[in-house]
Amino acid sequence: PFNLADAVLDPDGLRHNLLLDTPEMNEGWKDLESALRSLHQQVASTNAQLVLVCIPAAVQVDSSYWWSRNLGVRLDDRVLHDTEFQKRLADFAEREHVALIDLLPEMRSHPDQRLYYTQDGHWTPAGHEVAAAEIAKRLVPMILPLQAGHDW
């Protein structure tokens, strides 16, 4: 039902959320950066490190997930090629010295697997495996130096 409601209420919403191509999305992005900056400061105040994981929408990974077009959602090829959301998040992470794990390249590198359920965009077991492996691959180098400094 939520997919149908989205298609009726804002058929361009998903595309705009991914491409950030409207003034409203740009304002929303500023709010997101502000919230993430605050979170980063809170985490740092506890001597911990914030790690952001960017989870791509299924429609960014493979056009076979574009079934929502049948409901009236308007998508175009830009969501498969433009990575504006990921670029902005990477720029933010670099500016703020926050670790970022962007799962989009890894998810796209498995076109032979169904990583998302067709009907709702959540990960399948294969999607969870790909994401977990990539996150672990990126986290281990961050954790090992921390462990070396402790007598456990």
Short mmCIF file of all heavy atoms in Angstrom, two decimals, residues 75-117:
data_model
loop_
_atom_site.label_atom_id
_atom_site.label_comp_id
_atom_site.label_asym_id
_atom_site.label_seq_id
_atom_site.Cartn_x
_atom_site.Cartn_y
_atom_site.Cartn_z
N LEU A 75 10.57 7.14 -12.98
CA LEU A 75 12.02 6.95 -12.87
C LEU A 75 12.63 7.17 -14.23
O LEU A 75 11.95 7.09 -15.25
CB LEU A 75 12.33 5.52 -12.39
CG LEU A 75 11.85 5.17 -10.98
CD1 LEU A 75 12.01 3.69 -10.72
CD2 LEU A 75 12.60 5.98 -9.93
N ASP A 76 13.91 7.44 -14.25
CA ASP A 76 14.63 7.52 -15.52
C ASP A 76 16.04 6.99 -15.31
O ASP A 76 16.44 6.70 -14.18
CB ASP A 76 14.60 8.93 -16.11
CG ASP A 76 15.26 9.96 -15.22
OD1 ASP A 76 16.42 9.78 -14.82
OD2 ASP A 76 14.61 10.99 -14.94
N ASP A 77 16.78 6.87 -16.40
CA ASP A 77 18.11 6.26 -16.34
C ASP A 77 19.09 6.98 -15.42
O ASP A 77 20.09 6.40 -15.02
CB ASP A 77 18.71 6.19 -17.75
CG ASP A 77 18.08 5.08 -18.58
OD1 ASP A 77 17.40 4.21 -18.01
OD2 ASP A 77 18.28 5.09 -19.80
N ARG A 78 18.80 8.22 -15.09
CA ARG A 78 19.73 8.94 -14.21
C ARG A 78 19.91 8.25 -12.87
O ARG A 78 20.99 8.31 -12.29
CB ARG A 78 19.26 10.37 -13.98
CG ARG A 78 19.36 11.22 -15.24
CD ARG A 78 18.88 12.64 -14.99
NE ARG A 78 17.49 12.62 -14.53
CZ ARG A 78 16.91 13.59 -13.82
NH1 ARG A 78 17.60 14.67 -13.50
NH2 ARG A 78 15.66 13.51 -13.46
N VAL A 79 18.88 7.57 -12.36
CA VAL A 79 19.03 6.92 -11.06
C VAL A 79 19.99 5.74 -11.12
O VAL A 79 20.51 5.32 -10.10
CB VAL A 79 17.68 6.50 -10.43
CG1 VAL A 79 16.78 7.70 -10.22
CG2 VAL A 79 17.00 5.43 -11.22
N LEU A 80 20.24 5.22 -12.32
CA LEU A 80 21.22 4.14 -12.47
C LEU A 80 22.64 4.65 -12.70
O LEU A 80 23.60 3.92 -12.49
CB LEU A 80 20.84 3.23 -13.65
CG LEU A 80 19.69 2.28 -13.41
CD1 LEU A 80 19.33 1.57 -14.70
CD2 LEU A 80 20.02 1.27 -12.32
N HIS A 81 22.76 5.90 -13.13
CA HIS A 81 24.08 6.41 -13.49
C HIS A 81 24.54 7.56 -12.60
O HIS A 81 25.72 7.65 -12.30
CB HIS A 81 24.10 6.85 -14.96
CG HIS A 81 23.65 5.76 -15.88
ND1 HIS A 81 24.39 4.62 -16.11
CD2 HIS A 81 22.52 5.61 -16.61
CE1 HIS A 81 23.74 3.83 -16.94
NE2 HIS A 81 22.60 4.41 -17.26
N ASP A 82 23.64 8.43 -12.23
CA ASP A 82 24.00 9.55 -11.37
C ASP A 82 24.02 9.07 -9.92
O ASP A 82 23.13 8.34 -9.49
CB ASP A 82 22.99 10.69 -11.50
CG ASP A 82 23.05 11.37 -12.86
OD1 ASP A 82 23.91 10.98 -13.67
OD2 ASP A 82 22.23 12.26 -13.11
N THR A 83 25.01 9.48 -9.21
CA THR A 83 25.13 9.07 -7.81
C THR A 83 25.21 10.31 -6.92
O THR A 83 26.06 10.41 -6.04
CB THR A 83 26.37 8.17 -7.62
OG1 THR A 83 27.52 8.88 -8.11
CG2 THR A 83 26.23 6.86 -8.36
N GLU A 84 24.34 11.25 -7.19
CA GLU A 84 24.38 12.53 -6.49
C GLU A 84 24.28 12.36 -4.98
O GLU A 84 25.03 12.98 -4.22
CB GLU A 84 23.28 13.46 -6.99
CG GLU A 84 23.34 14.85 -6.41
CD GLU A 84 24.61 15.61 -6.77
OE1 GLU A 84 25.24 15.33 -7.80
OE2 GLU A 84 24.99 16.51 -5.98
N PHE A 85 23.37 11.51 -4.53
CA PHE A 85 23.23 11.31 -3.09
C PHE A 85 24.53 10.78 -2.50
O PHE A 85 25.05 11.30 -1.51
CB PHE A 85 22.08 10.34 -2.78
CG PHE A 85 21.77 10.23 -1.32
CD1 PHE A 85 20.79 11.02 -0.76
CD2 PHE A 85 22.48 9.35 -0.52
CE1 PHE A 85 20.52 10.93 0.60
CE2 PHE A 85 22.22 9.27 0.84
CZ PHE A 85 21.23 10.06 1.40
N GLN A 86 25.09 9.76 -3.13
CA GLN A 86 26.33 9.17 -2.64
C GLN A 86 27.49 10.17 -2.71
O GLN A 86 28.32 10.23 -1.81
CB GLN A 86 26.67 7.90 -3.43
CG GLN A 86 25.85 6.70 -3.04
CD GLN A 86 24.45 6.65 -3.65
OE1 GLN A 86 24.05 7.52 -4.43
NE2 GLN A 86 23.68 5.63 -3.31
N LYS A 87 27.55 10.96 -3.78
CA LYS A 87 28.61 11.97 -3.91
C LYS A 87 28.53 12.99 -2.78
O LYS A 87 29.54 13.36 -2.18
CB LYS A 87 28.52 12.69 -5.25
CG LYS A 87 28.98 11.87 -6.43
CD LYS A 87 28.79 12.68 -7.71
CE LYS A 87 28.90 11.79 -8.94
NZ LYS A 87 28.55 12.50 -10.17
N ARG A 88 27.33 13.47 -2.53
CA ARG A 88 27.18 14.48 -1.47
C ARG A 88 27.52 13.89 -0.10
O ARG A 88 28.12 14.56 0.73
CB ARG A 88 25.77 15.05 -1.47
CG ARG A 88 25.51 15.98 -2.60
CD ARG A 88 24.27 16.80 -2.33
NE ARG A 88 23.76 17.40 -3.53
CZ ARG A 88 22.73 18.22 -3.55
NH1 ARG A 88 22.09 18.51 -2.43
NH2 ARG A 88 22.30 18.73 -4.68
N LEU A 89 27.11 12.65 0.12
CA LEU A 89 27.43 12.03 1.40
C LEU A 89 28.94 11.82 1.54
O LEU A 89 29.51 12.05 2.61
CB LEU A 89 26.67 10.70 1.55
CG LEU A 89 26.70 10.09 2.94
CD1 LEU A 89 26.11 11.04 3.98
CD2 LEU A 89 25.93 8.77 2.93
N ALA A 90 29.60 11.43 0.46
CA ALA A 90 31.06 11.26 0.49
C ALA A 90 31.75 12.60 0.74
O ALA A 90 32.72 12.67 1.52
CB ALA A 90 31.54 10.63 -0.81
N ASP A 91 31.27 13.66 0.11
CA ASP A 91 31.85 14.98 0.34
C ASP A 91 31.68 15.40 1.80
O ASP A 91 32.61 15.92 2.42
CB ASP A 91 31.21 16.03 -0.57
CG ASP A 91 31.60 15.88 -2.03
OD1 ASP A 91 32.57 15.14 -2.33
OD2 ASP A 91 30.91 16.49 -2.88
N PHE A 92 30.49 15.17 2.34
CA PHE A 92 30.24 15.49 3.74
C PHE A 92 31.18 14.69 4.64
O PHE A 92 31.81 15.25 5.55
CB PHE A 92 28.78 15.18 4.11
CG PHE A 92 28.53 15.23 5.58
CD1 PHE A 92 28.29 16.44 6.21
CD2 PHE A 92 28.57 14.08 6.35
CE1 PHE A 92 28.09 16.50 7.59
CE2 PHE A 92 28.36 14.12 7.72
CZ PHE A 92 28.12 15.34 8.34
N ALA A 93 31.28 13.39 4.40
CA ALA A 93 32.12 12.52 5.23
C ALA A 93 33.58 12.98 5.20
O ALA A 93 34.25 13.01 6.23
CB ALA A 93 31.99 11.07 4.77
N GLU A 94 34.05 13.35 4.02
CA GLU A 94 35.44 13.82 3.91
C GLU A 94 35.64 15.13 4.67
O GLU A 94 36.61 15.28 5.41
CB GLU A 94 35.81 13.99 2.44
CG GLU A 94 37.27 14.36 2.25
CD GLU A 94 37.66 14.42 0.78
OE1 GLU A 94 37.01 13.77 -0.05
OE2 GLU A 94 38.63 15.15 0.48
N ARG A 95 34.73 16.07 4.49
CA ARG A 95 34.83 17.37 5.17
C ARG A 95 34.81 17.21 6.69
O ARG A 95 35.52 17.90 7.40
CB ARG A 95 33.65 18.27 4.78
CG ARG A 95 33.86 19.15 3.63
CD ARG A 95 32.78 20.24 3.50
NE ARG A 95 31.44 19.90 3.92
CZ ARG A 95 30.51 19.33 3.14
NH1 ARG A 95 30.79 19.02 1.89
NH2 ARG A 95 29.31 19.08 3.61
N GLU A 96 33.95 16.31 7.15
CA GLU A 96 33.74 16.16 8.59
C GLU A 96 34.60 15.06 9.23
O GLU A 96 34.49 14.80 10.42
CB GLU A 96 32.25 15.87 8.87
CG GLU A 96 31.31 16.97 8.40
CD GLU A 96 31.49 18.28 9.15
OE1 GLU A 96 31.79 18.25 10.36
OE2 GLU A 96 31.32 19.34 8.51
N HIS A 97 35.42 14.41 8.41
CA HIS A 97 36.29 13.33 8.89
C HIS A 97 35.48 12.19 9.53
O HIS A 97 35.75 11.75 10.64
CB HIS A 97 37.34 13.86 9.87
CG HIS A 97 38.12 15.00 9.31
ND1 HIS A 97 39.07 14.84 8.32
CD2 HIS A 97 38.06 16.33 9.57
CE1 HIS A 97 39.57 16.02 8.01
NE2 HIS A 97 38.98 16.95 8.74
N VAL A 98 34.48 11.76 8.78
CA VAL A 98 33.62 10.66 9.19
C VAL A 98 33.85 9.50 8.22
O VAL A 98 33.89 9.70 7.00
CB VAL A 98 32.12 11.07 9.14
CG1 VAL A 98 31.21 9.89 9.44
CG2 VAL A 98 31.85 12.22 10.10
N ALA A 99 33.99 8.31 8.76
CA ALA A 99 34.16 7.13 7.91
C ALA A 99 32.86 6.85 7.17
O ALA A 99 31.77 6.96 7.74
CB ALA A 99 34.56 5.92 8.75
N LEU A 100 32.98 6.49 5.91
CA LEU A 100 31.81 6.18 5.08
C LEU A 100 32.03 4.88 4.33
O LEU A 100 33.08 4.69 3.72
CB LEU A 100 31.55 7.31 4.08
CG LEU A 100 30.48 7.05 3.01
CD1 LEU A 100 29.10 6.89 3.63
CD2 LEU A 100 30.48 8.16 1.97
N ILE A 101 31.03 4.04 4.39
CA ILE A 101 31.01 2.81 3.59
C ILE A 101 29.84 2.95 2.63
O ILE A 101 28.68 2.93 3.05
CB ILE A 101 30.85 1.56 4.48
CG1 ILE A 101 32.00 1.47 5.48
CG2 ILE A 101 30.75 0.30 3.60
CD1 ILE A 101 31.81 0.39 6.54
N ASP A 102 30.14 3.12 1.36
CA ASP A 102 29.11 3.25 0.32
C ASP A 102 28.93 1.88 -0.32
O ASP A 102 29.83 1.36 -0.97
CB ASP A 102 29.55 4.28 -0.72
CG ASP A 102 28.53 4.47 -1.83
OD1 ASP A 102 27.44 3.85 -1.79
OD2 ASP A 102 28.84 5.24 -2.76
N LEU A 103 27.76 1.30 -0.13
CA LEU A 103 27.50 -0.04 -0.64
C LEU A 103 27.12 -0.08 -2.11
O LEU A 103 27.04 -1.16 -2.70
CB LEU A 103 26.39 -0.70 0.19
CG LEU A 103 26.73 -0.96 1.65
CD1 LEU A 103 25.52 -1.57 2.36
CD2 LEU A 103 27.94 -1.85 1.80
N LEU A 104 26.88 1.07 -2.73
CA LEU A 104 26.41 1.07 -4.12
C LEU A 104 27.35 0.35 -5.08
O LEU A 104 26.89 -0.52 -5.83
CB LEU A 104 26.12 2.50 -4.60
CG LEU A 104 25.58 2.64 -6.02
CD1 LEU A 104 24.28 1.86 -6.21
CD2 LEU A 104 25.38 4.10 -6.37
N PRO A 105 28.64 0.66 -5.10
CA PRO A 105 29.50 -0.05 -6.06
C PRO A 105 29.48 -1.57 -5.87
O PRO A 105 29.43 -2.32 -6.84
CB PRO A 105 30.89 0.53 -5.80
CG PRO A 105 30.64 1.86 -5.16
CD PRO A 105 29.38 1.69 -4.36
N GLU A 106 29.51 -2.01 -4.62
CA GLU A 106 29.52 -3.45 -4.36
C GLU A 106 28.20 -4.10 -4.76
O GLU A 106 28.18 -5.17 -5.35
CB GLU A 106 29.83 -3.73 -2.89
CG GLU A 106 30.00 -5.19 -2.58
CD GLU A 106 31.15 -5.87 -3.33
OE1 GLU A 106 32.10 -5.18 -3.76
OE2 GLU A 106 31.08 -7.10 -3.50
N MET A 107 27.10 -3.44 -4.47
CA MET A 107 25.79 -3.99 -4.83
C MET A 107 25.65 -4.07 -6.35
O MET A 107 25.12 -5.05 -6.88
CB MET A 107 24.66 -3.17 -4.23
CG MET A 107 24.65 -3.11 -2.71
SD MET A 107 24.50 -4.70 -1.91
CE MET A 107 22.81 -4.68 -1.42
N ARG A 108 26.16 -3.06 -7.05
CA ARG A 108 26.08 -3.08 -8.51
C ARG A 108 26.99 -4.15 -9.13
O ARG A 108 26.77 -4.56 -10.26
CB ARG A 108 26.46 -1.72 -9.08
CG ARG A 108 25.36 -0.69 -8.94
CD ARG A 108 25.78 0.63 -9.55
NE ARG A 108 24.69 1.59 -9.54
CZ ARG A 108 24.83 2.87 -9.83
NH1 ARG A 108 26.02 3.35 -10.18
NH2 ARG A 108 23.79 3.68 -9.81
N SER A 109 27.98 -4.58 -8.40
CA SER A 109 28.92 -5.56 -8.96
C SER A 109 28.41 -7.00 -8.89
O SER A 109 29.14 -7.93 -9.22
CB SER A 109 30.28 -5.46 -8.25
OG SER A 109 30.21 -6.02 -6.95
N HIS A 110 27.16 -7.18 -8.52
CA HIS A 110 26.54 -8.51 -8.44
C HIS A 110 25.26 -8.57 -9.28
O HIS A 110 24.20 -8.91 -8.77
CB HIS A 110 26.23 -8.86 -6.98
CG HIS A 110 27.44 -9.01 -6.14
ND1 HIS A 110 28.11 -10.19 -6.00
CD2 HIS A 110 28.13 -8.10 -5.41
CE1 HIS A 110 29.15 -10.03 -5.21
NE2 HIS A 110 29.19 -8.76 -4.85
N PRO A 111 25.35 -8.29 -10.58
CA PRO A 111 24.13 -8.26 -11.40
C PRO A 111 23.50 -9.64 -11.58
O PRO A 111 22.32 -9.73 -11.95
CB PRO A 111 24.63 -7.71 -12.75
CG PRO A 111 26.06 -8.11 -12.80
CD PRO A 111 26.54 -8.02 -11.37
N ASP A 112 24.23 -10.67 -11.26
CA ASP A 112 23.72 -12.04 -11.42
C ASP A 112 22.90 -12.50 -10.21
O ASP A 112 22.32 -13.57 -10.24
CB ASP A 112 24.89 -13.00 -11.63
CG ASP A 112 25.93 -12.91 -10.53
OD1 ASP A 112 26.18 -11.78 -10.04
OD2 ASP A 112 26.50 -13.95 -10.16
N GLN A 113 22.85 -11.68 -9.16
CA GLN A 113 22.13 -12.07 -7.95
C GLN A 113 20.96 -11.13 -7.68
O GLN A 113 21.05 -9.93 -7.95
CB GLN A 113 23.06 -12.04 -6.74
CG GLN A 113 24.15 -13.08 -6.77
CD GLN A 113 25.01 -12.98 -5.53
OE1 GLN A 113 25.82 -12.07 -5.41
NE2 GLN A 113 24.81 -13.92 -4.61
N ARG A 114 19.89 -11.66 -7.12
CA ARG A 114 18.77 -10.83 -6.66
C ARG A 114 19.10 -10.37 -5.25
O ARG A 114 19.02 -11.13 -4.30
CB ARG A 114 17.45 -11.61 -6.66
CG ARG A 114 16.95 -12.07 -8.01
CD ARG A 114 16.64 -10.97 -8.97
NE ARG A 114 15.51 -10.17 -8.55
CZ ARG A 114 15.16 -9.04 -9.14
NH1 ARG A 114 15.80 -8.61 -10.19
NH2 ARG A 114 14.14 -8.35 -8.70
N LEU A 115 19.51 -9.11 -5.11
CA LEU A 115 19.92 -8.59 -3.82
C LEU A 115 18.78 -7.93 -3.05
O LEU A 115 18.89 -7.71 -1.85
CB LEU A 115 21.07 -7.60 -4.00
CG LEU A 115 22.31 -8.17 -4.71
CD1 LEU A 115 23.38 -7.10 -4.82
CD2 LEU A 115 22.83 -9.41 -4.02
N TYR A 116 17.71 -7.61 -3.77
CA TYR A 116 16.55 -6.96 -3.16
C TYR A 116 15.31 -7.77 -3.53
O TYR A 116 15.23 -8.32 -4.61
CB TYR A 116 16.35 -5.54 -3.71
CG TYR A 116 17.46 -4.57 -3.38
CD1 TYR A 116 18.65 -4.55 -4.12
CD2 TYR A 116 17.31 -3.65 -2.35
CE1 TYR A 116 19.65 -3.65 -3.83
CE2 TYR A 116 18.31 -2.74 -2.07
CZ TYR A 116 19.49 -2.75 -2.80
OH TYR A 116 20.47 -1.86 -2.52
N TYR A 117 14.35 -7.79 -2.61
CA TYR A 117 13.06 -8.37 -2.96
C TYR A 117 12.39 -7.44 -3.96
O TYR A 117 12.43 -6.22 -3.83
CB TYR A 117 12.17 -8.53 -1.73
CG TYR A 117 12.62 -9.63 -0.82
CD1 TYR A 117 13.18 -9.35 0.43
CD2 TYR A 117 12.49 -10.96 -1.20
CE1 TYR A 117 13.60 -10.37 1.26
CE2 TYR A 117 12.91 -11.99 -0.37
CZ TYR A 117 13.47 -11.68 0.86
OH TYR A 117 13.89 -12.69 1.68
#
